Amino acid sequence: MKVGLAQLAPELGGVEKNLQLHEEMIRRADSEQVDLLVFPELSLTGYSLGERTPDAARMVTDNDLFALASLAEKTDVVIGFVEESPDHVFYNSAAYLSQGEIRWVHRKTYLPTYGMFQEGRYFGRGSRIQGVDTRFGQVGVVICEEAWHPSVPYLLAQEGAKFLLVMANGPVKEGGAEISREPWHRMLSTHSMLNCVYTVFVNRAGVEEGVRFFGNSAVFDPFGDRVEEAPLLDAGLFTVEIDPGTLRQARWRMPSALRDEDLNLTLRELERIRELRR
């Protein structure tokens, strides 16, 4: 199975230009026989939209999204965009495109509103954590901040996800790009091992409003090992070959993630803790 990491540097608010970049990258991935192509969070719009959020938004029924979906015939594609609901609520969303159709849309559930992040001011909060059935098995989409909440990958894995697709806008923080990426890679390696899943991490590149993003997208196998990684900072399409048979081997050797997990115990204790917090 060949996975494409679309480490894009989108133009802030430049949806038309970004659509063209997506089309070019999808066509290139198709020519390179990529099975699954994953873009970063908000890849169609850029990140720090602020008051420009409505201008960059698209409804799921929009022709722009259908045009991208029509290109996803042989290669499944996951994109990030600002979704406008019929009630005109705006969401930080991801769409799974396959066989010419929009198969699934996930709305980000955890919205960071601290430091440079102000998502809670502009976006509605998603209310469901659910995977999507694909030709590769069940896939779970995780958008940036959601990866920092252990319940999200846990719930997706318990539902049956074999692949976690983590889309991000990870900035370079004080100390530089290498230091900025380390917490991400450690965390994703741990999620992969504890939940016995493949994790595909796609982080954007480029500079936006004075903020640089570190890129360094990567794939981690169900043992927690890093299979391959893209360069720091550079934009581009990077492909990774993975062996789905590794998943079978990992789940045989480490059955605790699924076979031995006690959901009833977890539910009882969560209810007890919720009562304590009241």
Side-chain angles (χ1 to χ4, degrees):
M1 178 178 175
K2 184 182 284 190
V3 176
L5 312 176
Q7 194 164 288
L8 201 67
E11 179 181 295
L12 182 61
V15 177
E16 295 304 320
K17 180 178 179 181
N18 295 333
L19 281 165
Q20 184 177 351
L21 290 174
H22 279 64
E23 290 176 5
E24 291 170 359
M25 202 161 280
I26 292 171
R27 293 184 192 280
R28 180 180 163 192
D30 189 53
S31 69
E32 295 184 20
Q33 297 183 313
V34 169
D35 296 298
L36 175 63
L37 177 65
V38 185
F39 285 88
E41 174 187 26
L42 294 175
S43 57
L44 276 184
T45 63
Y47 184 71
S48 303
L49 290 163
E51 297 299 325
R52 290 172 284 182
T53 297
D55 298 330
R58 296 292 187 273
M59 289 189 173
V60 175
T61 54
D62 193 274
N63 287 335
D64 287 339
L65 297 185
F66 282 122
L68 289 181
S70 69
L71 299 176
E73 284 287 351
K74 298 178 182 178
T75 301
D76 284 14
V77 179
V78 187
I79 64 168
F81 72 111
V82 176
E83 177 197 358
E84 181 177 356
S85 77
D87 296 323
H88 311 297
V89 177
F90 300 90
Y91 296 94
N92 181 340
S93 295
Y96 192 99
L97 316 177
S98 178
Q99 296 179 320
E101 298 179 351
I102 301 171
R103 290 284 309 283
W104 177 248
V105 173
H106 170 64
R107 294 171 174 173
K108 189 174 181 178
T109 56
Y110 287 99
L111 304 176
T113 309
Y114 53 83
M116 65 166 281
F117 308 108
Q118 298 297 318
E119 292 185 36
R121 294 182 59 190
Y122 303 107
F123 294 123
R125 183 171 174 168
S127 59
R128 177 170 291 183
I129 298 168
Q130 183 177 344
V132 54
D133 289 323
T134 75
R135 58 195 176 101
F136 315 111
Q138 192 166 99
V139 166
V141 175
V142 180
I143 305 178
C144 208
E145 179 78 10
E146 293 179 320
W148 295 91
H149 294 263
S151 59
V152 176
Y154 171 82
L155 290 169
L156 289 168
Q158 291 304 313
E159 190 187 25
K162 297 180 178 180
F163 300 89
L164 298 181
L165 311 181
V166 181
M167 311 161 71
N169 277 265
V172 175
K173 298 181 180 179
E174 187 176 352
E178 290 189 12
I179 291 176
S180 301
R181 65 94 182 268
E182 282 305 316
W184 271 102
H185 282 211
R186 287 200 306 270
M187 173 189 63
L188 297 172
S189 169
T190 301
H191 284 328
S192 292
M193 181 174 59
L194 290 182
N195 295 296
C196 218
V197 293
Y198 266 105
T199 297
V200 177
F201 170 58
V202 182
N203 186 41
R204 67 158 290 177
V207 179
E208 183 182 283
E209 303 283 276
V211 176
R212 181 175 290 277
F213 297 85
F214 64 81
N216 204 207
S217 305
V219 175
F220 300 86
D221 72 17
F223 291 106
D225 296 325
R226 186 165 50 208
V227 179
E228 192 62 79
E229 61 184 310
L232 284 163
L233 306 175
D234 295 338
L237 173 62
F238 307 94
T239 60
V240 183
E241 294 275 1
I242 65 173
D243 179 8
T246 302
L247 187 73
R248 180 174 184 263
Q249 185 181 26
R251 291 186 175 182
W252 165 250
R253 292 187 179 181
M254 301 187 298
S256 57
L258 292 172
R259 190 194 73 183
D260 298 342
E261 181 67 11
D262 190 336
L263 290 178
N264 289 324
L265 171 64
T266 301
L267 287 168
R268 286 198 307 271
E269 291 304 294
L270 283 174
E271 289 288 350
R272 179 181 66 81
I273 293 167
R274 185 171 65 175
E275 290 300 316
L276 283 175
R277 288 191 173 185
R278 285 180 180 176

